[in-house]
Amino acid sequence: MTESAVLAPTTLAWITRLIAFDTTSRNSNRELIDVIDAELRVHGLDPVLVPNSDGTKANLVVTIPAHDGSTTGGVMLAGHTDVVPVDGQAWSSDPFTAEVRENRLYGRGAADMKAFSGVILALLPELVSRPLATPLHLAWTYDEEVGCHGAITLLADLAARGIRPSMCIVGEPTSMRAVSAHKSSHLYRVSFTGLASHSSNTPNGVNAIEYAARAIAFIRSIADEHRVNGPFDASFEVPYTTINVGTISGGAAVNTVAERCDFEFEFRAIPGVSTSAIFSRIEDFVLGELRPAMRAEHAIADVSFAPIGAVPSLSAAGTGAALQLVHELTGTSSEETVGYGTEGGLFQLAGIDTVVCGPGSIRQGHTANEFIDLAQISACEDFMRALARQLAHQH
Ligand SMILES: [Zn+2]
């Protein structure tokens, strides 16, 4: 392995160790967090755990203060600890046993995003070796893959403790390119309750499926408006806001008026589009037109919305110094957009200048035989070393 020879001696060991924890979002991440916590303490740091409501998962955040003891401002490196399931995927090796083959490291989370975390841990000695001009904050979150729940509690903790990083670099896989914008995503479930009846007597019932179908057709019409009329942002591969109905279930039998129908939809809005306006139009149609029509058939009928998750957009207009920093650290000047959401939107919303930049390609994220090129890991090491130099206090 010629390329692995250029990596720091502990980098592959750290990434391998992190991948060995099955931190699929449905599982606890506490064992992995405890290992990071212990390592940070070895280097004299004092990490803070921010548990979820039942304590089964935790964020971890630590601040390496500036040379004068200051913890204000500075740069935050942020990554999530959870990974997506391997269920139903055909892997050619154990997903939780990292394996190096042909200059790639394979394993669940190799790209998304345990290599980023592994590089930080391997280079901790360098990150803490010099007095810093401004603080460095390291943050690991839970439940990113299922709605960015951890980032929300992390931000609440930072605010409560008065810790306010000036900039944040989210290490999601971007092939080490600076990503300054992504769309928002908003997920909802809509539940229609009608009234069952023998299908020979339809006036006796209320057909939940038929009303859900009208709602779905309305949602599609709004999606078509955005596709045809915009607003457009040409920097995105799909340059307009999209809406998708992704699941539907309902009905009991073909000879029965359907009592229940549920569907889930999401929309992904380009930065600057009012997401509340989109949702309000759908809500107004469903609650203002469909529900009264259902109830006119029978008073028991009802329909309800439940939000499943939301990730705010990351706007290029909100990035300044962080983008410049990433350009300096990577020696590039490109600025890209991506279609997937990240915790970066939440950090930006909290007033932190945020850019996404991390090793590996999103194309390998979430796939069977997920891998990261060793060259990407090496590039991430270079990035961290450059950051350590950049943050160092100049005497
Ligand atoms: Zn990710």
Side-chain angles (χ1 to χ4, degrees), residues 79-80 82-84 111-113 144-145 170-173 340-343 362 365-366:
H80 60 81
D82 57 324
V83 294
V84 295
D112 186 12
M113 51 182 293
E144 189 273 345
E145 298 287 5
V170 178
E172 292 279 359
Y340 56 92
T342 76
E343 295 169 327
I362 194 66
H366 301 199

Side-chain angles (χ1 to χ4, degrees), residues 77-91:
L77 301 176
H80 60 81
T81 58
D82 57 324
V83 294
V84 295
V86 298
D87 306 343
Q89 296 185 338
W91 283 70

Side-chain angles (χ1 to χ4, degrees), residues 180-186 225-243 266-278 311-317 337-340 348:
S180 60
H182 62 65
K183 294 182 182 180
S184 65
S185 78
H186 297 260
E225 275 178 34
H226 282 269
R227 181 169 53 81
V228 174
N229 302 326
F232 299 104
D233 183 336
S235 67
F236 289 98
E237 185 183 351
V238 179
Y240 48 85
T241 298
T242 58
I243 317 182
E266 57 137 54
F267 57 91
R268 292 177 181 254
I270 57 175
V273 163
S274 167
T275 54
S276 59
I278 293 175
V311 179
S313 64
L314 182 68
S315 169
T337 67
V338 290
Y340 56 92
Q348 186 177 66

